[in-house]
Amino acid sequence: MTRLGKLDPVTLLALPAVAYLGLVYGLPLVGLLARSLMVEGTVSLTSYTRFLSDPFSWTVIGNTLRVAAGVTLLCLFIGYPTALALARAKGAAQALILVAIILPLSVGVVVKAFAWQIVLRRDGVISQLLVGLGLWDAPQRLLFTETGLVVGAANVFVPFMILPIYSVLKLVDPRLIEAAATLGASPLYRFFHVALPLSLPGIVTGIAFVFSMATSMYVVPSLLIGDRFQTLATLTGRSFLFMRNEQLGSTTAVVLLILSVAVVVASAALSRRFGGAS
Amino acid sequence: MTLTERIASVLVWVIAAFTVIFLLTPLVVTVAVSFGSSAVFTLPAPAWSLRWYEAMGRSRDLWGAVATSLQLAALSTLIALVLGTLAAIGLLRGRFPGRESVVTFLVSPLMLPGLVLGIAMLEGFRAAGLRAVWPSLLFAHVVITLPYVVRTVYGALSLFDFTLIDAARTLGLSYPKAIAKVLVPGLAPAFVTSGMFAFLASMDNYPISIFFTNAWTKTLPIQMLQYVEESPDPMIAAISTLLILLAMLVLVAGDRLVGLRRMADL
């Protein structure tokens, strides 16, 4: 009997989708990896050693990681309290927070990036607000700055931080926190030793989502910071679409791919650990 | 409540309120700009007008792109719903080693950079001799939409009680009828949610589509980004406003059908 013979025939229902993705997506990805290792017909790491020995590449890698880290931190800082508020809110407040998360999630990234171009201008809303509050002496432009990029990107990705944390927080039994209080734990102790560890799997997932999306974003930096500032993703896109340097583009694409896979694998391992602990 | 708790609670609500405003800012600004009369993006606008909506009505490139995007999103979502549901049933009902890794593979396009997928598929399609724009776009967009369906329907199915189908059979329904009366209604919320997010993801996709469009066939995000780069004027805000309206309609429909809280279970 063949191995296939042992399979339940109902499993065959999965075949079309698996075959489809294997051919249209899996095979091309393997091809991309293989081609980046082939230089003039032989297997070699030349394109990687060349890429990694160029100081410009390290600037680009640094830009990518710095911006992604900034976006992730900002999202965590505003996302965690928002998830907490959503888990505690009832009625109209809960509906408002949910709409504020899901509606922007359903609106395209081009629309939002374009809106941030307007908001971050010298005469934009933020500049007017900060001057009005007396925090800035004169109007300033945030568009085409790294700060502007981080703020705009955080706006696009913060729902992906809030939702995983919320999905964990709403399952936490409030009596656990009360029990800790009854047993004499101080509020800070309760937060750091009870509430925070319980929500850790959600935090890990949120950080992984936001970090990997911020690493590979293309439309947001194209519109909010422009060509002078390159990240791995914008460099990959430009190499293919404008510079016609497919060798460089394939190399940066594979570097980007490795980075994303590493984030996904690390976060899966971490959340298994924290999930197992609770 | 102790003082620390009160301060913490106030802080949580202040930050949450800030986040709500922060999240809605781009949408509000877009709508406000679209109804302004000025050609630059001054807010508040000196006077209100519908001139950008008129400009939008006249733009031929735009409506071509809208049609392409809508057709592509509808067709790729439909294909994904069929392939994805079959796959979810097959994977959940069949017991075999490595099932989880097959599920991960089917969901993985969601986790990888779109640009990288676009480049890989561009070169893959070239190698296979596929150059026609429309089929390439459709093949690529099914890769975008399929993971949404697999993820949500697989999740819903793993909570579904399959003995209900046996019960319906015992009560005299034929197998196809039992599926239609018991399984399909049970999965309906998953179809609605995943179909919505798959449709919107296809409508919004830039980093994959960019490799398959040409001067004659463009999808809406690509046409819009081109406007933003070449001639930024509030007409883009008018288009964006219509897209926000579309998202709102989709959400109202989704809320009626499955409820907002369920849709938040990403």
Side-chain angles (χ1 to χ4, degrees), chain A residues 1-7:
Chain A
M1 215 167 161
T2 58
R3 244 184 89 71
L4 258 176
K6 285 184 220 149
L7 281 178

Side-chain angles (χ1 to χ4, degrees), chain B residues 109-124:
Chain B
L110 263 184
M111 298 181 253
L112 299 181
L115 215 54
V116 177
L117 301 192
I119 288 168
M121 285 193 269
L122 174 74
E123 294 183 339

